[in-house]
């Protein structure tokens, strides 16, 4: 290459680096993608439950059983979807998921019995809460490292807004236009918002001539595993599954998914059992959303400053408190307090687990690794509503299961403290074995 070409290429790189970092454009796209999963999230579906039950003549066990099986089967393709994103890129995969998810929302009003309701839950949970949620969660990891916790908190801030607005909006639409049109409108909204945004979506900074975090050049090699994402230092799915931290994170977050989904899905009948009404239950969502919105930002900043396993342990301790409140509450004030603590819990756990996967396992196989984890999380979320529904039908109360949820969370607090970074642990072990070498192995264990 002659000197003029070198000078031209250098000028091009300098001009690109002076532009606004494209990661700040990707942040609102990722946020809106997360909000677009609302029709498939438990907080979005739960307000339709009484409509499903009345329209189809279902018992608690039948409704929650359809949700259980739909969510359980929806979890199975997540690893495959992650592999597709690794192979074809997030943009192409997310576009296809959005098209199919919108169709699933439009088809849900056509349900006529428990089997077709199961199919609707399967499609909604697989394409929305599962696939679109997975792809949204992975988007910012390819654009940010040093501030990944903070930007993840901002992304999740959008979900907090959806939790505050969507249940109340859905209830209003059900009353005004009926549940069928309300659900169909949700699918159209997903298309109208998300499909135009795909024209602006980019897979990684290299597609716009930039580098991660907006640096002017690639980050230098360093012993600090938090700034490296080269394939040699990234774990494969098989390698990640051989680490202690991977399974601890799966167990703790799966427990959170199971218990939270179970309570949120059944919050209206739980409130009715305690002598309250649907309006009281809706107050929980408002308190939850406000608390979550604040904690997402705070938690994101904490994730950039403190070890993630400590945040995970604090989140599990908070989960114990939440379940204890739902086991024992007898007033609207206590219910609202539970909603506030729910927001703190979810904010801490998302702050811990959001940046954890790229920081612990790298980015080369991130979609596949997180796809496997999402399979576990989605499957766990299917069990909570069903267990509570069956308990209600058999013994006439939700209390026994809520007690089990509370007690099962306790031993996970100390367990979370063991979820240390395997790449940092490996580097420290090599330093101990070879104190005079001055080098650190970059081969993951």
């Amino acid at each position: 290459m002659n000197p003029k070409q070198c000078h031209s290429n250098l000028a091009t790189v300098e001009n690109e680096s002076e532009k606004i970092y494209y990661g700040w454009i990707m942040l609102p796209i990722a946020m809106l993608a997360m909000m677009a999963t609302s029709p498939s999230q438990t907080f979005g579906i739960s307000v339709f439950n009484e409509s499903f039950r009345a329209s189809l003549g279902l018992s608690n066990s039948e409704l929650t059983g359809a949700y259980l099986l739909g969510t359980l089967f929806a979890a199975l393709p997540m690893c495959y979807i992650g592999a597709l994103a690794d192979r074809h890129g997030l943009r192409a995969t997310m576009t296809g998921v959005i098209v199919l998810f919108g169709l699933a929302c439009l088809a849900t009003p056509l349900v006529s019995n428990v089997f077709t309701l199961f199919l609707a839950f399967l499609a909604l949970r697989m394409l929305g809460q599962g696939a679109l949620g997975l792809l949204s969660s992975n988007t910012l990891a390819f654009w940010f490292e040093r501030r990944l916790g903070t930007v993840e908190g901002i992304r999740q801030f959008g979900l907090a807004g959806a939790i505050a607005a969507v249940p109340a909006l859905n209830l209003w639409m059900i009353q005004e236009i009926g549940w069928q049109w309300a659900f169909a409108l949700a699918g159209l909204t997903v298309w109208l918002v998300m499909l135009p945004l795909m024209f602006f979506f980019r897979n990684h900074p290299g597609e716009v001539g930039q580098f991660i975090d907006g640096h002017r050049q690639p980050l230098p090699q360093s012993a600090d595993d938090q700034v490296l994402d080269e394939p040699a230092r990234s774990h494969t799915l098989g390698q990640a599954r051989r680490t202690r931290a991977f399974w601890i994170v799966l167990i703790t977050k799966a427990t959170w998914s199971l218990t939270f989904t179970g309570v949120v899905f059944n919050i209206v009948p739980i409130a009715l059992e305690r002598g309250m009404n649907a309006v009281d239950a809706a107050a929980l969502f408002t308190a939850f959303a406000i608390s979550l919105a604040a904690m997402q930002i705070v938690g994101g900043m904490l994730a950039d400053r403190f070890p993630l396993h400590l945040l995970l342990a604090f989140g599990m301790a908070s989960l114990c408190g939440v379940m204890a409140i739902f086991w024992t509450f007898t007033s609207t004030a206590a219910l609202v307090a539970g909603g506030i603590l729910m927001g703190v819990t979810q904010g801490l756990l998302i702050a811990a687990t959001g940046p954890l996967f790229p920081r612990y396992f790298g980015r080369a196989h991130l979609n596949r690794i997180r796809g496997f984890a999402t399979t576990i999380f989605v499957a766990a979320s299917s069990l909570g509503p069903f267990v509570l529904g069956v308990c209600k039908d058999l013994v006439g109360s939700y209390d026994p299961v809520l007690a089990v949820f509370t007690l099962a969370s306790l031993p996970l607090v100390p367990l979370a403290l063991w979820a240390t970074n395997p790449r940092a642990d490996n580097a420290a072990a090599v330093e101990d074995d070879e104190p005079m070498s001055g080098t650190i192995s970059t081969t993951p264990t």
Side-chain angles (χ1 to χ4, degrees), residues 70-429:
T71 303
L72 191 61
F73 283 105
L76 299 180
M78 290 305 106
C79 195
Y80 175 70
I81 291 170
L84 285 178
D86 281 335
R87 186 178 306 120
H88 302 293
L90 285 166
R91 182 186 186 186
T93 309
M94 186 180 290
T95 300
V97 165
I98 289 168
V99 171
L100 294 176
F101 181 45
L103 287 173
C105 293
L106 291 172
T108 297
L110 302 178
V111 298
S112 58
N113 52 47
V114 68
F115 178 70
T116 54
L117 182 62
F118 151 73
L119 294 178
F121 284 151
L122 169 62
L124 291 170
R125 301 288 279 174
M126 178 177 65
L127 296 166
Q129 187 249 6
L132 188 55
L134 165 66
L135 300 174
S136 169
S137 297
N138 284 347
T139 295
L140 297 179
F142 291 91
W143 293 87
F144 295 94
E145 175 50 54
R146 294 296 187 188
R147 290 170 287 192
L148 181 57
T150 300
V151 296
E152 274 293 312
I154 296 172
R155 182 182 72 90
Q156 290 286 344
F157 187 87
L159 182 62
I163 292 171
V166 168
L169 180 61
N170 284 345
L171 283 172
W172 177 79
M173 288 196 299
I174 290 170
Q175 295 171 353
E176 295 296 321
I177 60 176
W179 74 265
Q180 292 92 341
W181 281 107
F183 224 111
L185 187 59
L188 292 175
T189 302
V190 169
W191 280 350
L192 290 173
V193 172
M194 291 308 305
L195 288 178
L197 291 177
M198 290 299 98
F199 289 101
F200 303 96
F201 194 102
R202 298 294 181 269
N203 291 306
H204 53 77
E207 292 188 349
V208 292
Q210 296 178 334
F211 301 104
I212 195 166
D213 278 334
H215 290 284
R216 291 173 177 256
Q217 58 186 1
L219 292 173
Q221 290 192 2
S222 165
D224 181 1
D225 59 278
Q226 291 194 10
V227 302
L228 293 170
D229 66 341
E230 58 275 338
R233 282 187 59 86
S234 292
H235 287 65
T236 64
L237 175 58
Q239 290 168 332
R241 288 189 298 202
R242 290 194 290 272
T243 65
R244 178 186 68 232
F246 184 78
W247 292 105
I248 292 175
V249 171
L250 258 61
I251 291 169
T252 52
K253 192 171 179 183
T255 301
W256 164 50
S257 296
L258 186 154
T259 55
F260 261 43
T261 306
V263 169
V264 172
F265 188 88
N266 292 285
I267 192 59
V268 173
I270 290 175
L272 294 175
E273 181 179 292
R274 306 292 173 85
M276 301 173 204
N277 54 44
V279 175
D280 296 319
L284 174 139
F285 285 111
T286 302
F288 175 36
I290 294 172
S291 173
L292 178 60
M295 200 60 205
Q296 295 288 21
I297 304 300
V298 174
M301 292 188 291
L302 292 175
D304 289 336
R305 290 164 175 80
F306 295 97
L308 298 178
H309 63 282
L310 294 182
L311 291 184
L312 187 64
F314 278 114
M316 294 310 297
S318 182
L319 177 63
C320 295
V322 169
M323 289 301 116
I325 288 175
F326 287 121
W327 177 20
T328 59
F329 81 91
T330 56
S331 67
T332 303
L335 182 61
V336 171
I340 293 172
L341 193 55
M342 279 177 67
V344 173
T345 303
Q346 183 158 326
L348 285 172
L349 291 175
I350 289 178
T353 58
L356 184 146
F357 286 96
R359 288 180 177 171
Y360 277 26
F361 307 115
R363 293 170 173 79
H365 309 283
L366 178 62
N367 289 299
R368 186 169 299 186
I369 291 171
R370 221 167 193 168
F372 180 88
T374 301
T375 297
I376 304 300
F377 301 152
V378 174
S381 72
S382 71
L383 297 175
F386 180 71
V387 171
L388 280 163
V390 170
C391 183
K392 175 66 173 178
D393 285 341
L394 292 179
V395 303
S397 173
Y398 295 102
D399 286 349
V401 174
L402 293 173
V404 171
F405 284 175
T406 303
L407 298 176
S409 303
L410 289 172
L412 300 183
V413 179
L415 182 65
L417 293 173
W418 283 19
T420 53
N421 190 330
R423 296 201 291 178
D425 292 344
N426 184 53

